[in-house]
Amino acid sequence: MKNDLFPKDIQADIIPQPSGKLLYRCLECSAEFGIEQLLYTCPDCGQVLLIHDKNFNRLKAVPAEKWQRIFDFRKMTRLPALKGIYRYHEFIGSVLPLSSIIYLGEGHTPMIAANKNLEKMVGLPFFYKNDGQNPSASFKDRGMASAMSYINYLIQTGQVSDVLAICASTGDTSAAAALYAAYMHPRVKSAVILPHKKVTPQQLSQPLGSGASVFEIPGVFDDCMKVVESLSENYSVALLNSKNAWRILGQESYSYEIAQEFDYKLGDTVIVVPIGNAGNITAVINGFLKWYEVGIIDNLPKIIGVQSVHADPVYRYYLEPDTTKRKFKPVTVQPSVAQAAMIGNPVSMPRVVHLVDRYNETAGRQKIFFVAVSEQSIMDWELRANRNGHIACTHGGETLSGLVEAKARGYVHGNEIAVIDSTAHALKFSGFQQMYFENSFPAEYQVSPNPDLINRPQYIQPKDLKKVPEPGKSIDPEAFDLFIQRVSQEIATTLKLQPK
Ligand SMILES: *Cc1c(COP(=O)(O)O)cnc(C)c1O
Ligand SMILES: [Zn+2]
């Protein structure tokens, strides 16, 4: 829509100008640092950082109803810069001019209501938010669009020249980083560090296809992360893991989208997210908190964080009810089908600890809960979801399984509405589905297929037929007719079809 057609009172707000004063703020010692430099941890105390808007109060001066209208009308702009996560520009990298924004189609992923059949199995209505429908097929694109737009801004303003972007990954961060870096080629190049054999073939194909330098090392994600930290401490590189606070900022868009989708009313809403490195849950909590503080939403939704029992350090931390006695202990991870969340020592744990307390305090009661689920239930629920029309990945199975667990524990009730995150596309993790269908899971996964959920192709080739079609070889028309007839017959018999 053309700008002069927007309502007069918000015309000037539809296309945002750079605003605010963003700083890195240390969660431990509250020290603040300018954003002209790429900074990942506090130079004073070593703790992780979050980006804070020093002029955040200006956002509170705008009435909530006006914000809502701005975001609702902004949906109609044709400007690519405002079509993705920067629809919420004032809350996501507000200092960036629109000309710095990289938009590759991320954000505004669909929310798909569960059908009655699935709703009945789970015990409450819910939506899948399909973050697998982002450009590199996972939610990581949200944070990457933010981090890369910021790097683009630094390049455009001459603050940095050529950038080598690096990350450790369980697969999806590297896919996203390599994609956005490829778009900024040749000013930005990327290198990714992956745990050997611990990313799926589909995930591995992504950074390779985008032209990144791909390194595989022995070990798991936590080991890759240490290498990347060592590189970023000693060399001039841009770190793109969620340790980078710009990633968190972009991922907050997930919360804003849900709020907007529910018309800014979140009273009965439950948000369910999987936890790996804990960047995502950090962003989801922070996003809702910011909008609550400004008044755009007048309720904080419940949040359920889900982990597999094979990688559950966050869940274990919160098992201790006495807040003064809680002590974080990293765990050694076991193989998990929720492979992108197979992390024993989450980098964002200090952020989670800080924000969970703030969230519950602000809400006046406990609104964030953690559950752990078995590998078996993750697979079973993923398959059940997809048999009811979804495209959930294993982590989508994890969130659904987590929702069922949260209901069983009384954290969630039948009169609420849940939004559960399918963080990636089913196809990225289809190898686990195949192992399930073929009953070929290695023992350490502890998954044995439920026969009702198995599905396999049936090969139809009538044994007595000598001549069957083959690529590049024609067969005579009579043999071909016979082939079609016999194959059709066999399929009809198998499906118990009635003749017309
Ligand atoms: C990265 C990732 C997660 C875990 O998110 P964190 O921010 O690391 O907690 C979950 N699912 C998928 C598909 C991912 O790529
Ligand atoms: Zn500090």
Side-chain angles (χ1 to χ4, degrees):
M1 188 155 101
K2 290 199 174 62
N3 205 44
D4 53 2
L5 296 178
F6 286 102
K8 287 271 175 302
D9 66 313
I10 55 169
Q11 243 175 46
D13 303 299
I14 293 294
I15 300 174
Q17 301 298 320
S19 68
K21 183 159 175 43
L22 301 190
L23 295 163
Y24 297 109
R25 180 185 274 179
C26 174
L27 283 178
E28 184 68 31
C29 72
S30 300
E32 293 177 343
F33 308 92
I35 56 162
E36 335 52 72
Q37 50 185 331
L38 287 159
L39 207 58
Y40 313 109
T41 49
C42 175
D44 296 349
C45 78
Q47 185 60 279
V48 285
L49 309 163
L50 278 175
I51 291 168
H52 176 71
D53 189 339
K54 204 81 181 147
N55 294 346
F56 190 73
N57 281 339
R58 82 190 185 288
L59 303 174
K60 295 185 188 167
V62 179
E65 188 264 348
K66 185 170 179 189
W67 276 126
Q68 297 169 357
R69 291 180 68 233
I70 291 171
F71 297 136
D72 290 348
F73 276 101
R74 221 176 247 171
K75 281 187 183 181
M76 286 187 272
T77 55
R78 283 177 305 176
L79 280 176
L82 296 176
K83 283 190 173 168
I85 60 169
Y86 288 94
R87 177 187 294 168
Y88 315 106
H89 179 266
E90 293 85 346
F91 293 83
I92 296 177
S94 61
V95 294
L96 303 189
L98 299 196
S99 53
S100 295
I101 290 171
I102 308 285
Y103 171 68
L104 299 185
E106 63 285 337
H108 307 294
T109 51
M111 276 174 38
I112 310 300
N115 64 17
K116 287 291 163 210
N117 188 40
L118 193 57
E119 179 181 323
K120 215 167 126 207
M121 279 192 248
V122 173
L124 72 158
F126 70 94
F127 293 82
Y128 258 114
K129 187 158 169 69
N130 286 342
D131 258 29
Q133 282 172 260
N134 276 299
S136 79
S138 89
F139 79 82
K140 299 293 199 304
D141 295 324
R142 296 175 180 276
M144 214 50 79
S146 165
M148 283 298 197
S149 296
Y150 165 64
I151 288 174
N152 194 32
Y153 171 68
L154 293 181
I155 292 173
Q156 287 177 340
T157 51
Q159 298 180 73
V160 299
S161 50
D162 292 335
V163 174
L164 178 68
I166 60 160
C167 65
S169 180
T170 52
D172 292 332
T173 301
S174 63
L179 176 67
Y180 285 79
Y183 191 76
M184 293 167 74
H185 183 83
R187 304 296 298 278
V188 178
K189 295 194 171 62
S190 68
V192 307
I193 294 155
L194 307 172
H196 184 54
K197 295 215 162 105
K198 283 279 171 276
V199 306
T200 72
Q202 296 87 334
Q203 289 173 314
L204 180 58
S205 78
Q206 292 186 287
L208 290 173
S210 297
S213 303
V214 177
F215 300 96
E216 296 184 291
I217 68 164
V220 295
F221 170 84
D222 299 292
D223 307 304
C224 297
M225 193 64 218
K226 290 284 177 244
V227 172
V228 164
E229 282 171 345
S230 158
L231 287 170
S232 70
E233 274 156 31
N234 297 302
Y235 300 91
S236 167
V237 291
L239 176 106
L240 284 180
N241 283 96
S242 53
K243 193 168 190 180
N244 178 333
W246 291 90
R247 285 270 316 278
I248 304 293
L249 204 55
Q251 286 169 203
E252 290 170 11
S253 58
Y254 185 85
S255 299
Y256 305 151
E257 288 173 23
I258 293 173
Q260 189 170 21
E261 196 75 18
F262 278 107
D263 220 1
Y264 310 97
K265 292 179 189 70
L266 298 174
D268 306 318
T269 316
V270 182
I271 311 296
V272 190
V273 291
I275 306 175
N277 217 11
N280 197 28
I281 191 163
T282 295
V284 168
I285 298 172
N286 211 32
F288 286 124
L289 270 175
K290 278 196 206 166
W291 272 23
Y292 185 77
E293 278 169 26
V294 171
I296 300 175
I297 52 174
D298 53 15
N299 252 303
L300 288 172
K302 263 182 209 168
I303 296 175
I304 312 288
V306 190
Q307 296 204 292
S308 158
V309 292
H310 284 187
D312 59 355
V314 181
Y315 168 74
R316 282 166 189 261
Y317 175 85
Y318 284 101
L319 273 181
E320 170 58 61
D322 184 344
T323 51
T324 60
K325 285 198 195 137
R326 284 180 187 153
K327 201 168 173 318
F328 181 73
K329 281 198 223 73
V331 305
T332 305
V333 293
Q334 306 297 315
S336 172
V337 297
Q339 192 168 264
M342 219 177 91
I343 295 172
N345 191 11
V347 163
S348 283
M349 191 63 202
R351 292 168 169 155
V352 172
V353 171
H354 173 85
L355 288 169
V356 166
D357 285 349
R358 240 184 81 204
Y359 199 87
N360 289 332
E361 269 166 34
T362 309
R365 63 191 165 100
Q366 186 179 1
K367 282 242 175 172
I368 302 184
F369 302 85
F370 298 89
V371 295
V373 294
S374 70
E375 291 291 312
Q376 181 75 47
S377 68
I378 295 174
M379 280 311 301
D380 291 347
W381 281 110
E382 181 200 1
L383 296 173
R384 283 185 199 115
N386 293 351
R387 284 195 164 202
N388 283 278
H390 296 283
I391 51 170
C393 65
T394 44
H395 315 81
E398 186 178 19
T399 49
L400 182 50
S401 167
L403 177 61
V404 171
E405 176 69 14
K407 177 134 191 300
R409 289 181 175 227
Y411 301 156
V412 171
H413 309 287
N415 58 352
E416 294 175 299
I417 297 178
V419 179
I420 71 176
D421 197 346
S422 179
T423 42
H425 198 287
L427 292 177
K428 284 210 194 204
F429 298 92
S430 59
F432 293 116
Q433 172 182 290
Q434 195 174 340
M435 284 198 252
Y436 192 101
F437 291 168
E438 292 173 351
N439 194 9
S440 61
F441 266 110
E444 57 275 21
Y445 283 92
Q446 297 178 300
V447 176
S448 49
N450 169 349
D452 292 341
L453 292 173
I454 291 180
N455 197 11
R456 304 190 60 176
Q458 306 173 48
Y459 189 57
I460 310 280
Q461 185 189 339
K463 289 189 186 56
D464 54 329
L465 290 188
K466 297 273 172 309
K467 293 182 187 165
V468 296
E470 262 183 90
K473 276 192 205 158
S474 58
I475 58 173
D476 58 81
E478 267 159 51
F480 187 66
D481 283 349
L482 185 64
F483 171 76
I484 296 296
Q485 202 184 34
R486 295 291 307 284
V487 168
S488 312
Q489 253 167 22
E490 260 189 53
I491 292 175
T493 309
T494 311
L495 293 175
K496 301 192 178 71
L497 300 182
Q498 298 301 316
K500 281 210 263 194

